[in-house]
Amino acid sequence: MLSVDKPRVGHIQFLNCIPIYWGLVRSGALLDLDLVKDTPERLSEQLVAGDLDIGPISLVEYLRHAEDLVVLPDLAVGSDGPVMSCNLVSQLPFAELGGERVALGSTSRTTVQLAQLVLRERYGVQPSYYSCPPDLAEMMQEAAAGVLIGDAALRASLHEAPRLGLRVLDLGEAWKDWTGLPMVFAVWAVRRDFLASQPALTREVHEAFLHSGSWRWRRWTRSPRRPPAWEDFDAATLERYFTTLDFSFGPRQLAGVREFARRIAPQIGADPEAPIELLASAA
């Protein structure tokens, strides 16, 4: 069990993160955490600001603030091919989106940057981007295409886009086809100041996350207490989704992060050569 001192830990309330936290619920580790639930964007901001000690952070925000953070290894949200829940949905062929309006309904800065990178460098187009709520039907009334993540993207790709005859570009698959590398959308990180003052507690939290991985989708999807908000995804869909997602962070994922940093650094104001420090080498 963790220390009685409760670290402030972030939790993304998207389907893709539920299996990780479900294991924490089942193990009882959540009793020893001050869990903060919010969107990916807001959790990233809170970790950077020091309002969280440990938490998920979008890859873009990690790269911008790497000097203040240490990555927890073997824990991320990504894919080594299709991801299913980070998508560009379009009424037009992707190569025809130049000058068209593209709605950014995503709260993930990494997915937004990846979509813009793919359109700019793979398809050679520069659309006009604007932000809006992640409602596909409304987005398609105002724009030629839209970027969605999480549950909204999953519903769009599985249900809404086929019904409306829309094209779907899976951004994880597009990155893998382009670079041959996995795509990492978010990592878990600890603030350096918290790690310096609580190294043992940091490792206890990390171990609790890793232990929760043994529960993952099989036990969660079969639980009678599965949250009703996601009952429109049947067991077969959930099995496909959770075996498509890559929760690991090893050498290949690190190579993918470095390649993404190299390509995107000028757009996000990050140093493409900044070292990526992992917890194992941080003590």
Side-chain angles (χ1 to χ4, degrees), residues 180-236:
L181 293 168
M183 181 64 203
V184 175
F185 293 92
V187 298
W188 268 257
V190 56
R191 288 189 54 83
R192 289 183 185 275
D193 50 7
F194 183 81
L195 176 59
S197 63
Q198 298 284 354
L201 180 55
T202 298
R203 283 169 171 76
E204 288 181 60
V205 174
H206 183 217
E207 286 298 321
F209 275 120
L210 296 181
H211 178 70
S212 76
S214 64
W215 294 90
R216 291 277 159 87
W217 72 266
R218 283 188 175 86
R219 299 185 186 187
W220 181 73
T221 56
R222 294 173 185 175
S223 168
R225 298 167 61 185
R226 186 160 60 93
W230 296 299
E231 285 181 353
D232 54 339
F233 300 119
D234 59 26

Side-chain angles (χ1 to χ4, degrees), residues 15 151-152 154-156 158-160 220 226-238:
L15 186 60
D151 305 352
L154 196 58
R155 291 188 179 97
L158 294 175
H159 305 306
E160 298 168 302
W220 181 73
R226 186 160 60 93
W230 296 299
E231 285 181 353
D232 54 339
F233 300 119
D234 59 26
T237 298
L238 292 171

